[in-house]
Amino acid sequence: MSEGQIVPIALGRFDTSQPWGFKLQGGSDVGCPIHVAQIQPKSISGKSGLQNGDLILRIGETDMQNATHEQARNEMIRSGNDVDLVVQRGGVAVKSTPAPPEPEEDREKFQEVTPKTYQVLQKELPQAEATGARPASIFDRRKQDRTAYTKADKSGYTKAYGQQ
C-alpha cells in the first residue's frame, strides 16, 4: 500500500482485558495530528494491519481531524470491544523504537567472592587430613562459649544480648 492511502481498519477483541497493542499520540491540544506511535506486532492492532505513523482520521463515526488527545482516547474507550478506524498510511513520520541492547557479560566487572567459612575450611582441611581429625567447627566449642551473646529468660525464649 502506498503512503497517503486511506484504509479502513476493524479491530475486535473478546473483552476489555485484552489491550489493543498500540499507542495513540497527538491531538489538537498538543499541536500534532492524532496518530499511531507504536505497534506491538503480535497484538490485535498489529495483526489487523495498523502501522506506525498511521494518521487516524476517524474512530467509529467520530471525525478526529481537530480532536484533542483526550477526546480520541475517550472515543476508543466508548467504542468498546469493536472499533472501526479510518487511517491514512504514513500520515505522520514516527521514529522506530530500537530493539533493547543485548545484556553484556558482567563477569569481568565483579570479583569472585569466597565466603569466610569456606576460606577457613580450606585452610584447616589439609592440617585435619594430616592428623586424621576433622576440621574445627563451631559445634566443637562448649555451649556457653558459642551462646554468650544470647540469654534465655524463664519462659524459654532466647533474647539477644542487651534486650530486656
Side-chain angles (χ1 to χ4, degrees), residues 1 4-11 45 47-51 54-61 83-89:
M1 291 184 188
Q5 185 177 6
I6 295 177
V7 180
I9 304 278
L11 301 177
S45 56
K47 291 176 182 176
S48 68
L50 205 56
Q51 297 176 2
D54 282 353
L55 183 65
I56 297 180
L57 303 176
R58 269 193 334 221
I59 298 175
E61 295 299 318
V83 180
D84 293 321
L85 302 174
V86 176
V87 299
Q88 179 181 349
R89 288 280 181 234

Side-chain angles (χ1 to χ4, degrees), residues 12-127:
R13 60 185 178 184
F14 294 111
D15 59 25
T16 56
S17 67
Q18 290 180 294
W20 291 117
F22 72 95
K23 288 186 180 180
L24 192 67
Q25 284 189 344
S28 62
D29 51 338
V30 294
C32 181
I34 295 174
H35 62 279
V36 176
Q38 189 177 21
I39 293 283
Q40 296 174 355
K42 295 182 180 181
S43 67
I44 295 168
S45 56
K47 291 176 182 176
S48 68
L50 205 56
Q51 297 176 2
N52 286 337
D54 282 353
L55 183 65
I56 297 180
L57 303 176
R58 269 193 334 221
I59 298 175
E61 295 299 318
T62 307
D63 185 38
M64 291 289 124
Q65 297 288 339
N66 295 315
T68 64
H69 183 81
E70 187 175 353
Q71 288 170 334
R73 185 177 56 84
N74 289 341
E75 193 58 36
M76 285 293 295
I77 293 168
R78 197 174 303 120
S79 296
N81 294 326
D82 295 307
V83 180
D84 293 321
L85 302 174
V86 176
V87 299
Q88 179 181 349
R89 288 280 181 234
V92 178
V94 292
K95 294 180 183 176
S96 61
T97 55
E102 293 294 321
E104 296 178 17
E105 284 294 320
D106 292 334
R107 291 205 168 280
E108 298 87 34
K109 295 180 184 177
F110 300 102
Q111 62 181 356
E112 291 292 324
V113 178
T114 307
K116 181 72 173 173
T117 53
Y118 186 73
Q119 292 174 1
V120 170
L121 185 63
Q122 275 186 319
K123 188 173 80 174
E124 291 183 2
L125 194 58
Q127 295 169 354

Side-chain angles (χ1 to χ4, degrees), residues 131-146:
T131 61
R134 63 182 175 75
S137 168
I138 188 172
F139 299 108
D140 291 341
R141 298 183 188 150
R142 294 182 310 164
K143 185 173 182 177
Q144 291 109 357
D145 293 341
R146 58 177 201 256

